Amino acid sequence: MSNEQINKAYELAVAQYAAIGVDVNKAVEQLDKLPISLHCWQADDVKGFEVSSGDLTGGIQATGNYPGSSRTIEELRTDIEKVLTLLPGKHRLNLHAIYGDFGSEFVDRDQIEPKHFQSWIDWANKVGVKLDFNSTFFSHPKSESGLTLSNPDKDIQSFWMEHLRRCRHIAAEIGRQQGSACIHNIWVPDGSKDRTVNRLAYRANLKYALDTVLAEKIDTKYLVDCIESKLFGIGLESYTVGSHEFYLAYGAKNNMVVTLDAGHFHPTEVISDKISSLLLFLPEIMLHVSRPVRWDSDHVVILDDELLHLTQEIVRANALDRVHIGLDYFDASINRIGAYVIGVRATQKALLQALLEPIDQLRTFEANGQNFERLALLEELKSMPWAAVYDYYCSKNGVTAGNAYIAEIQQYEKDTTSKRV
Ligand code: RNT
Ligand code: ZN
């Protein structure tokens, strides 16, 4: 598509939306202000750069062996830089603690320091992204029992508490240097494969560990902690210490940000419906946008109904400034650069469609009991020319529009990722 065609289609779209009372320019401006936090771990199947790195554990799994995953910090940065050239807007990168710049030194989780992330901070500053952070409570010999912060063994529990304490300091330092609060996500895989007769005890241990470490107050200008629940993990099917009830109650009691991961609920349970409830009781929400297929499979995010419902709920609740949007999936079966671009673009397209809703009109219909009219307009909106608006948004940002990114990724694969053998 030429720029001229894109502009023409955009003008037609503007007129069509104006006819139903929607200001397209305003929607594009709003979209442009919404960063998506890209998860660094799609690039290398959640391996990270620890010198002693072993298998991915903690009940999560990246399946597939598509060639070309990044093997070093440099390769990962090159990949992310490529991804960023294919995305309109300014975005963030979400790091896990195991992605530190450790060189050839073995640095255990209870030893990591801000200095191991300084080269990330410098790189991020150079390429114009802000960083977010995650403690890493998995893929470690001291997590193999299935219990980390909730472990009754005081040595193991203290080890992980020290990890958490350090991660908060690293994230705060990132936030300070980048002039934007670093969102620090706490996901703890703890659970058990089979029935436990100590459900309460492990939860009490987790509560104690969190209470103790989080008692250290750090300015939210630099650091925002959030807590992520889960239903079950592979090999941890019968019990998860940090369940939804645990963290929802913990967050509400302590005024903390709760993370909702789309794959962490029962198969027909959706996170879109949870947004409005959480907003009433919690300061903010963090999202791990993912795509569960039958289970927490972490498939690449696509533009499906639930993604649209999710973005509609955020926009309809007027909560774009209270919901942080991050991605969380790891598909090792397809080109990983492509996996990022598909997921971010799908998320942006869903946000754009939500921003292009004639919400006043829809709400008037609803208030008047005109439910046929409400449903009909919602149906019509699905085939309105939002894609022409997205193409325009891409081209205005100097980013290739439509399906042209496929060829660019194929070229990058030919030149770069296919040579990683
Ligand atoms: C696991 C959680 C968690 C991880 C990442 C790697 O089920 O979703 O967020 O995916 O931290
Ligand atoms: Zn997650």
Side-chain angles (χ1 to χ4, degrees), residues 41 46 60 96 138 187 228 230 261 264 288 296 328 330:
W41 51 93
V46 212
I60 53 178
H96 241 288
F138 52 83
W187 169 66
E228 180 183 7
K230 190 164 177 172
D261 183 308
H264 289 192
H288 272 187
D296 182 31
D328 182 12
F330 23 102

Side-chain angles (χ1 to χ4, degrees), residues 39 41 46 56 58-60 94 96 134-136 138 185-189 228-230 232-233 259 261 263-264 288 290 296 298 327-330:
H39 52 314
W41 51 93
V46 212
L56 175 60
I60 53 178
N94 201 0
H96 241 288
N134 297 258
S135 319
T136 313
F138 52 83
N185 190 53
I186 305 169
W187 169 66
V188 178
E228 180 183 7
S229 72
K230 190 164 177 172
F232 79 98
T259 301
D261 183 308
H264 289 192
H288 272 187
S290 188
D296 182 31
D298 291 298
L327 303 178
D328 182 12
Y329 52 80
F330 23 102

Side-chain angles (χ1 to χ4, degrees), residues 157-217:
Q157 185 186 44
S158 310
F159 174 87
W160 290 111
M161 284 166 69
E162 181 61 17
H163 176 65
L164 178 59
R165 195 185 70 76
R166 285 170 179 258
C167 284
R168 294 184 78 225
H169 283 267
I170 292 165
E173 178 58 17
I174 291 173
R176 195 187 63 75
Q177 288 194 39
Q178 70 187 5
S180 162
C182 178
I183 313 285
H184 167 232
N185 190 53
I186 305 169
W187 169 66
V188 178
D190 297 22
S192 84
K193 180 182 173 83
D194 220 325
R195 305 261 172 118
T196 164
V197 290
N198 276 312
R199 283 179 188 262
L200 181 64
Y202 304 122
R203 289 190 171 130
N205 292 348
L206 178 57
K207 179 177 178 300
Y208 161 80
L210 292 172
D211 284 348
T212 308
V213 180
L214 298 175
E216 182 188 355
K217 293 297 162 216

